[in-house]
Amino acid sequence: MKPIILTLIGNDKPGLIESLAQKVYSIEGNWLSSNFSHMAGQFAGFVELNIPADKHQGFVEYLNSHPDLTIHSVSTESADESSDNVAQIEIIGNDKPGIVQELTSVLHGFNINIVKFTSGCESAPNWGSLLFKAQATVTIPEGFDTDQLTGALEGVANDLVVDVTIK
């Protein structure tokens, strides 16, 4: 089996995931993980698959000719698992331009890798303004001082609430 990562985008409509899943099944591939979203009328997502090595080229040709999706594929080798700890960071605050840039700049300053990041805005109860929420899964080195990270993240804006949980 050969690992492959796909990014997908196209006009949202029923059957997009099914068409891809059907092709993966037909070539005896294995669907490992995925994440899909509807954004601004578009379907977007990414998928991690294992494809039999002898069917890899034909699968890539199928991806390049998919009628409804623009698909980018990257073949990869299995990654070594890191010995770093995983931390969950939750951020909530009044929405304003630059929050993601400020947060990622702090994480980069500590040389912390983001392995998953989700964010969105919703109406704040009782205020009527937008509330920004984000969840990040990051890897941190053994013995890292998370209080220092929490302080730095809270320091980027005085209206953010930050919670860091090490797992």
Side-chain angles (χ1 to χ4, degrees):
M1 294 292 234
K2 186 169 181 153
I4 187 168
I5 306 295
L6 309 177
T7 59
L8 322 159
I9 192 162
N11 289 325
D12 197 17
K13 69 177 196 176
L16 292 176
I17 298 171
E18 190 270 341
S19 68
L20 184 59
Q22 189 175 63
K23 182 64 175 178
V24 171
Y25 178 76
S26 74
I27 62 170
E28 300 173 345
N30 188 19
W31 191 288
L32 300 174
S33 63
S34 58
N35 192 339
F36 302 113
S37 292
H38 176 94
M39 303 177 108
Q42 296 290 303
F43 168 82
F46 54 91
V47 182
E48 178 184 7
L49 306 167
N50 268 338
I51 302 298
D54 63 329
K55 297 180 181 173
H56 188 266
Q57 185 59 38
F59 183 67
V60 170
E61 290 170 8
Y62 163 79
L63 297 174
N64 291 334
S65 66
H66 196 287
D68 298 312
L69 293 170
T70 300
I71 303 173
H72 178 75
S73 65
V74 176
S75 297
T76 184
E77 299 299 323
S78 296
D80 292 333
E81 291 299 318
S82 172
S83 62
D84 290 340
N85 291 315
V86 174
Q88 302 295 324
I89 301 173
E90 294 186 18
I91 299 107
I92 300 173
N94 292 322
D95 187 42
K96 66 175 187 170
I99 293 176
V100 173
Q101 182 277 322
E102 291 172 346
L103 296 172
T104 57
S105 180
V106 168
L107 294 173
H108 182 252
F110 283 100
N111 200 30
I112 292 175
N113 189 39
I114 301 169
V115 294
K116 184 174 184 179
F117 186 85
T118 58
S119 66
C121 291
E122 59 186 53
S123 181
N126 303 326
W127 290 306
S129 61
L130 286 178
L131 190 62
F132 175 82
K133 291 184 175 185
Q135 298 83 35
T137 302
V138 300
T139 55
I140 57 172
E142 189 71 38
F144 182 81
D145 181 3
T146 57
D147 291 338
Q148 189 178 22
L149 174 61
T150 301
L153 288 169
E154 288 174 341
V156 298
N158 58 6
D159 63 345
L160 293 179
V161 176
V162 178
D163 183 31
V164 178
T165 306
I166 305 297
K167 292 186 177 183

